[in-house]
Structure formats: structure tokens, C-alpha cells
Coordinates of all heavy atoms in Angstrom, one line a residue:
R1 N 36.7 35.4 6.6 CA 37.2 35.8 8.0 C 37.8 37.2 7.9 O 37.6 38.1 8.8 CB 38.1 34.8 8.5 CG 38.6 35.2 9.9 CD 39.5 34.1 10.5 NE 40.0 34.5 11.8 CZ 40.8 33.7 12.6 NH1 41.3 32.6 12.1 NH2 41.2 34.1 13.8
E2 N 38.6 37.5 6.8 CA 39.3 38.7 6.7 C 38.3 39.9 6.5 O 38.5 41.0 7.0 CB 40.2 38.7 5.5 CG 41.4 37.6 5.7 CD 40.9 36.2 5.6 OE1 39.9 35.9 4.9 OE2 41.5 35.3 6.2
R3 N 37.2 39.6 5.7 CA 36.3 40.7 5.4 C 35.2 41.0 6.4 O 35.0 42.1 6.8 CB 35.7 40.4 4.0 CG 34.9 41.6 3.4 CD 34.5 41.3 2.0 NE 33.5 40.2 1.9 CZ 32.2 40.4 2.1 NH1 31.7 41.6 2.4 NH2 31.3 39.4 2.0
V4 N 34.6 39.9 6.9 CA 33.5 40.1 7.9 C 33.7 39.0 8.9 O 33.0 38.0 8.9 CB 32.1 40.0 7.2 CG1 31.7 41.3 6.5 CG2 32.1 38.8 6.2
P5 N 34.6 39.2 9.9 CA 34.9 38.1 10.8 C 33.8 37.6 11.7 O 33.7 36.4 11.9 CB 36.0 38.8 11.7 CG 35.9 40.2 11.5 CD 35.4 40.4 10.1
L6 N 32.9 38.5 12.1 CA 31.8 38.0 12.9 C 30.7 37.2 12.2 O 30.2 36.2 12.7 CB 31.1 39.1 13.7 CG 32.0 39.7 14.8 CD1 31.3 40.8 15.5 CD2 32.4 38.6 15.9
Q7 N 30.4 37.6 10.9 CA 29.5 36.8 10.1 C 30.2 35.5 9.7 O 29.5 34.4 9.7 CB 29.2 37.6 8.8 CG 28.2 38.7 9.0 CD 28.9 40.0 9.1 OE1 30.0 40.1 9.7 NE2 28.3 41.1 8.5
W8 N 31.5 35.5 9.5 CA 32.2 34.2 9.2 C 32.1 33.3 10.5 O 31.8 32.1 10.3 CB 33.6 34.6 8.9 CG 34.6 33.4 8.8 CD1 34.8 32.7 7.7 CD2 35.4 32.8 9.8 NE1 35.7 31.7 7.9 CE2 36.1 31.7 9.2 CE3 35.6 33.1 11.1 CZ2 37.0 31.0 9.9 CZ3 36.5 32.3 11.9 CH2 37.2 31.3 11.2
A9 N 32.3 33.9 11.6 CA 32.2 33.0 12.9 C 30.8 32.5 13.1 O 30.6 31.4 13.5 CB 32.7 33.9 14.1
M10 N 29.8 33.4 12.9 CA 28.4 32.9 13.0 C 28.1 31.8 12.1 O 27.5 30.8 12.5 CB 27.4 34.1 12.7 CG 26.0 33.7 12.6 SD 25.0 35.1 11.9 CE 25.4 35.0 10.2
T11 N 28.6 31.8 10.9 CA 28.3 30.8 9.9 C 29.1 29.5 10.3 O 28.6 28.4 10.1 CB 28.7 31.2 8.5 OG1 28.0 32.5 8.2 CG2 28.2 30.2 7.4
Q12 N 30.3 29.7 10.8 CA 31.0 28.5 11.3 C 30.3 27.8 12.4 O 30.2 26.6 12.5 CB 32.4 28.9 11.8 CG 33.4 29.3 10.7 CD 34.0 28.1 10.0 OE1 33.6 27.0 10.2 NE2 35.0 28.4 9.1
N13 N 29.7 28.6 13.3 CA 28.9 28.0 14.4 C 27.7 27.2 13.8 O 27.4 26.1 14.2 CB 28.4 29.1 15.3 CG 27.5 28.6 16.4 OD1 28.0 28.0 17.4 ND2 26.2 28.7 16.3
N14 N 27.0 27.8 12.8 CA 25.8 27.2 12.2 C 26.2 25.9 11.4 O 25.5 24.9 11.4 CB 25.1 28.2 11.3 CG 24.4 29.3 12.2 OD1 24.3 29.2 13.4 ND2 24.0 30.3 11.5
L15 N 27.4 26.0 10.8 CA 27.9 24.8 10.1 C 28.2 23.7 11.1 O 27.8 22.5 10.9 CB 29.2 25.2 9.4 CG 30.0 24.0 8.8 CD1 29.2 23.3 7.7 CD2 31.3 24.5 8.2
G16 N 28.7 24.1 12.3 CA 29.0 23.1 13.3 C 27.7 22.4 13.8 O 27.6 21.2 14.0
N17 N 26.6 23.2 13.9 CA 25.3 22.7 14.3 C 24.8 21.6 13.3 O 24.4 20.5 13.7 CB 24.3 23.8 14.4 CG 24.5 24.7 15.6 OD1 25.2 24.4 16.5 ND2 23.9 25.9 15.5
A18 N 24.9 21.9 12.0 CA 24.4 21.0 11.0 C 25.3 19.7 11.0 O 24.8 18.6 10.9 CB 24.5 21.7 9.6
L19 N 26.6 19.9 11.1 CA 27.5 18.7 11.1 C 27.3 17.9 12.3 O 27.3 16.6 12.3 CB 29.0 19.2 11.0 CG 29.4 19.7 9.7 CD1 30.7 20.5 9.8 CD2 29.6 18.6 8.7
W20 N 27.1 18.5 13.5 CA 26.9 17.7 14.7 C 25.6 16.9 14.6 O 25.5 15.8 15.0 CB 26.8 18.7 15.9 CG 26.5 18.0 17.2 CD1 27.0 16.9 17.7 CD2 25.6 18.5 18.2 NE1 26.4 16.6 18.9 CE2 25.6 17.6 19.2 CE3 24.8 19.7 18.3 CZ2 24.8 17.7 20.4 CZ3 24.0 19.8 19.4 CH2 24.0 18.9 20.4
T21 N 24.5 17.6 14.1 CA 23.2 16.8 14.0 C 23.4 15.6 13.1 O 22.9 14.5 13.4 CB 22.1 17.8 13.5 OG1 22.1 18.9 14.3 CG2 20.8 17.1 13.5
L22 N 24.1 15.8 12.0 CA 24.4 14.7 11.0 C 25.2 13.6 11.7 O 25.0 12.4 11.6 CB 25.1 15.2 9.8 CG 24.3 15.5 8.5 CD1 25.3 16.0 7.4 CD2 23.7 14.2 8.0
G23 N 26.3 14.1 12.4 CA 27.2 13.2 13.1 C 26.5 12.3 14.1 O 26.9 11.1 14.3
E24 N 25.5 12.9 14.8 CA 24.8 12.1 15.8 C 24.0 10.9 15.2 O 23.8 9.9 15.8 CB 23.8 13.0 16.6 CG 24.5 13.9 17.6 CD 23.4 14.6 18.5 OE1 22.5 15.2 17.9 OE2 23.5 14.5 19.7
R25 N 23.6 11.1 13.9 CA 22.8 10.2 13.2 C 23.6 9.1 12.5 O 23.1 8.0 12.2 CB 21.8 10.8 12.3 CG 20.8 11.7 12.9 CD 19.9 12.4 11.9 NE 19.0 13.3 12.6 CZ 18.1 14.1 11.9 NH1 18.0 14.0 10.6 NH2 17.3 14.9 12.6
E26 N 24.8 9.5 12.1 CA 25.6 8.6 11.4 C 26.6 7.8 12.3 O 26.9 8.2 13.4 CB 26.4 9.4 10.3 CG 25.6 10.1 9.3 CD 26.4 10.9 8.3 OE1 27.6 11.1 8.6 OE2 25.9 11.4 7.3
S27 N 27.1 6.7 11.8 CA 28.1 6.0 12.5 C 29.5 6.6 12.2 O 29.6 7.5 11.3 CB 28.1 4.5 12.1 OG 28.4 4.4 10.7
G28 N 30.5 6.3 13.0 CA 31.8 6.9 12.7 C 31.9 8.2 13.4 O 31.0 8.7 14.2
T29 N 33.0 8.9 13.2 CA 33.3 10.2 13.9 C 33.7 11.3 13.0 O 33.9 12.4 13.4 CB 34.5 9.9 14.8 OG1 35.7 9.5 14.1 CG2 34.2 8.9 15.9
A30 N 33.7 11.1 11.6 CA 34.1 12.1 10.7 C 33.3 13.4 10.8 O 33.9 14.5 10.9 CB 34.1 11.6 9.3
R31 N 32.0 13.3 10.8 CA 31.2 14.5 10.9 C 31.3 15.2 12.2 O 31.4 16.5 12.3 CB 29.7 14.1 10.7 CG 29.3 13.5 9.4 CD 29.3 14.5 8.3 NE 28.6 13.9 7.1 CZ 28.3 14.5 6.0 NH1 28.7 15.8 5.8 NH2 27.7 13.9 5.0

């Protein structure tokens, strides 16, 4: 975040996408 804040944010968004897709398929709420 300190070095390249927008790339960091873009990757956080993409991480969220992957976790959300996994979370929809799994039981529970952790993902």
C-alpha cells in the first residue's frame, strides 16, 4: 500500500472476487 497504493487496491479487489466466489461454494462464512 505504501509503495503502489492503487495496484495494492486493485489486487485487494481481485482477492475479494476470488474469496467471494469460494465463499459462495463453501459452507460457513469465513471466506
